[in-house]
Amino acid sequence: MKITFEEIKNRKSVRTFEDKLLEPAAKEALVSFLKSNQTGPFGSTARFKLVDLTGAGQEELKQLASYGNIRGPKYFMAGVVKKSTAAILDYGYLMEKNILAAMTLGLGTCWVGGTFSRAGFLQKINAGAGEVVPAIVPLGYAAKNRDVSDTATRLFVAADTRKPWKDMFFDGNHETPLTEDAAGSYKIPFAALRYAPSASNKQPWRMIKDIARFHLFLERTPGYWKESREDIQLMDMGIGMCNFDVAAEEIGLKGVWKIGATVKGKEGWEYVATRQ
Ligand SMILES: Cc1cc2nc3c(=O)[nH]c(=O)nc-3n(C[C@H](O)[C@H](O)[C@H](O)COP(=O)(O)O)c2cc1C
């Protein structure tokens, strides 16, 4: 399956789903993609499953698929990893690729990392000891009209906006903003990272271009969920890395993620990894 910058640019979270079965060919293609997409850039293995609730009873639907702002999902992508820092990054990376693959098949999705039945999905996916479901993704055909709660969520988090380049991307150090011109051939991967979804649209990625190395840092939103759930902003980092890689690879810019910064981030930023 060919995933491109187009999918990255056109993706938007879908929270209002049509009551429609997946086309069999799309379902088959997605299931096979999920099987092929299991090892993240930091080497952890995730196991993904397409959870189909079309035959589920009222109780099960209520337990697994009822959310205040998400209407009518009958399918979910869910996965398990053994919990670790690397695994949360890898989960973000791999699930984002699943989302882009689903888009190529005409399917809408929305990351859900907040409230969902963790116990219910652990059971659905036959999780083993020490495995966690860091987030799930409802999936299906987008309804023609958004539900009001969907529209309200989008307004609340300003989902259609992104921070300007100068607040996210830096040139050689953490103070000098990177211009689009100075990004050179990496302008598109940077743009792809900027389009990525993030929890509550906080966009916590910061990146310093250091000649041909790209250092990724996390600027946490103070007080944001770190203690109580999986580290959701770390997942955002993996998501951004996926977008960066997909866009870079499409234009032939190869690279790998390594740990080892050669520049310092701003005070308060957490170093994540370097693409080189
Ligand atoms: C890790 C993660 C967790 C998220 N959790 C939720 C959630 O629990 N509920 C929800 O409605 N949206 C959730 N979102 C969706 C974001 O709000 C959305 O991606 C962001 O507002 C940007 O909008 P867009 O995806 O349409 O570009 C989550 C996104 C990410 C990346």
Side-chain angles (χ1 to χ4, degrees), residues 11 13 15 69 111 113-114 154 157 159 162 197-199 201 236 239:
R11 187 211 52 80
S13 292
R15 295 184 180 83
N69 60 344
W111 273 96
R154 296 195 66 80
V157 299
R162 291 294 185 267
S198 56
N201 203 23
D236 289 341
I239 294 169

Side-chain angles (χ1 to χ4, degrees), residues 171-191:
D171 199 353
N173 58 58
H174 63 75
E175 281 166 342
T176 313
L178 178 73
T179 62
E180 293 191 34
D181 277 352
S185 53
Y186 278 87
K187 182 171 157 180
I188 294 178
F190 274 107

Side-chain angles (χ1 to χ4, degrees), residues 21-241:
L21 295 180
L22 294 190
E23 303 283 347
K27 189 173 176 185
E28 202 180 307
L30 186 63
V31 167
S32 118
F33 187 84
L34 297 187
K35 278 205 189 114
S36 71
N37 184 39
Q38 294 202 333
T39 309
F42 298 106
S44 17
T45 304
R47 193 157 43 83
F48 292 103
K49 191 170 171 188
L50 180 66
V51 176
D52 180 343
L53 296 183
T54 50
Q58 278 309 103
E59 250 332 285
E60 194 174 19
L61 277 178
K62 207 168 127 200
Q63 195 221 349
L64 290 177
S66 67
Y67 304 97
N69 60 344
I70 299 179
R71 291 282 181 268
K74 292 280 172 56
Y75 301 90
F76 292 81
M77 295 190 286
V80 285
V81 282
K82 290 251 188 212
K83 194 169 170 171
S84 72
T85 298
I88 297 296
L89 283 168
D90 281 332
Y91 191 87
Y93 187 98
L94 293 165
M95 185 63 105
E96 182 63 11
K97 223 175 233 178
N98 294 339
I99 283 176
L100 296 172
M103 263 205 80
T104 69
L105 300 166
L107 302 171
T109 56
C110 182
W111 273 96
V112 175
T115 312
F116 66 90
S117 168
R118 289 182 154 76
F121 278 95
L122 279 169
Q123 205 176 26
K124 275 277 165 203
I125 206 161
N126 298 324
E131 289 187 321
V132 292
V133 180
I136 56 161
V137 174
L139 146 134
Y141 298 100
K144 299 228 160 30
N145 297 311
R146 281 192 184 124
D147 186 79
V148 284
S149 61
D150 182 351
T151 304
T153 304
R154 296 195 66 80
L155 282 174
F156 186 67
V157 299
D160 288 314
T161 63
R162 291 294 185 267
K163 289 184 195 295
W165 268 59
K166 68 173 179 53
D167 294 352
M168 286 177 138
F169 304 142
F170 300 86
D171 199 353
N173 58 58
H174 63 75
E175 281 166 342
T176 313
L178 178 73
T179 62
E180 293 191 34
D181 277 352
S185 53
Y186 278 87
K187 182 171 157 180
I188 294 178
F190 274 107
L193 170 55
R194 186 166 166 267
Y195 283 133
S198 56
S200 303
N201 203 23
K202 296 291 183 193
Q203 307 161 61
W205 316 277
R206 306 291 172 262
M207 193 175 248
I208 302 178
K209 178 179 182 294
D210 175 24
I211 310 176
R213 289 187 190 164
F214 304 90
H215 304 286
L216 179 66
F217 295 85
L218 162 57
E219 182 169 23
R220 287 191 184 278
T221 308
Y224 195 66
W225 289 0
K226 192 178 174 197
E227 304 307 326
S228 54
R229 313 255 164 90
E230 305 311 331
D231 188 341
I232 206 159
Q233 293 202 304
L234 201 57
M235 227 169 337
D236 289 341
M237 294 297 113
I239 294 169
M241 288 164 57

